[in-house]
Amino acid sequence: MGLKNCSGCGKLMLENPRGICPECYAQEEQDELAIVEFLREKKRSSVEDIHKATGVKYKVIIRMIQEKRILSDIEVSYPCEMCGAPIIQGRLCGKCNKGILDQVKAGEQARQSHEMLPKQTGMHTDFFRK
């Protein structure tokens, strides 16, 4: 194990799988409890609501949701990573996800149509064959 800086506070620490120092880990545990307590009372919330009520940083709340550390019959909305629309799962809203899939399909179709074009021979080779 080597030394590295904590991704939470920047202090020097021994490297570990969490990537944060023991103090930041303890704070995350407290933050998680605060979030869970808040969500017991208000099952449908946004990241903004949770942040305002608990003081927990946005990135910590979103990371906990994405890591599925906050599981229950709750519904928490957070912003789409492309357009900012509220979503309750994944990283992109349906519209952005469809846009990316459409772009991939269009690129695939363009590639396939390019492969269907007849291969052009250079004029210099055709000239010498006659």
Side-chain angles (χ1 to χ4, degrees), residues 44-97:
R44 287 185 177 223
S45 301
S46 67
V47 172
E48 178 74 24
D49 295 337
I50 296 169
H51 169 70
K52 285 181 181 177
T54 63
V56 178
K57 295 176 184 175
Y58 289 98
K59 69 177 187 173
V60 173
I61 298 168
I62 291 172
R63 187 175 66 237
M64 287 180 179
I65 293 167
Q66 290 174 340
E67 290 175 355
K68 302 196 184 318
R69 289 177 61 183
I70 303 171
L71 297 174
S72 177
D73 57 342
I74 59 162
E75 188 174 293
V76 177
S77 63
Y78 51 94
C80 166
E81 290 184 11
M82 284 185 69
C83 70
I87 57 175
I88 58 170
Q89 67 180 9
R91 297 174 64 179
L92 302 174
C93 67
K95 184 178 176 183
C96 291
N97 199 23

Side-chain angles (χ1 to χ4, degrees), residues 4-118:
K4 110 179 225 183
N5 289 59
C6 173
S7 63
C9 66
K11 285 194 256 178
L12 194 60
M13 62 169 216
L14 286 176
E15 199 170 359
N16 64 49
R18 296 277 315 151
I20 56 176
C21 68
E23 292 84 15
C24 286
Y25 184 76
Q27 182 61 49
E28 256 193 27
E29 293 290 313
Q30 290 176 353
D31 291 345
E32 189 172 345
L33 289 173
I35 292 169
V36 168
E37 286 299 316
F38 173 75
L39 291 173
R40 281 187 182 142
E41 294 175 18
K42 198 166 183 197
K43 295 193 184 297
R44 287 185 177 223
S45 301
S46 67
V47 172
E48 178 74 24
D49 295 337
I50 296 169
H51 169 70
K52 285 181 181 177
T54 63
V56 178
K57 295 176 184 175
Y58 289 98
K59 69 177 187 173
V60 173
I61 298 168
I62 291 172
R63 187 175 66 237
M64 287 180 179
I65 293 167
Q66 290 174 340
E67 290 175 355
K68 302 196 184 318
R69 289 177 61 183
I70 303 171
L71 297 174
S72 177
D73 57 342
I74 59 162
E75 188 174 293
V76 177
S77 63
Y78 51 94
C80 166
E81 290 184 11
M82 284 185 69
C83 70
I87 57 175
I88 58 170
Q89 67 180 9
R91 297 174 64 179
L92 302 174
C93 67
K95 184 178 176 183
C96 291
N97 199 23
K98 183 180 180 325
I100 289 175
L101 290 175
D102 290 346
Q103 288 177 2
V104 169
K105 286 179 186 175
E108 181 64 24
Q109 288 172 350
R111 186 184 65 77
Q112 286 177 353
S113 66
H114 180 67
E115 289 175 355
M116 299 295 282
L117 292 174

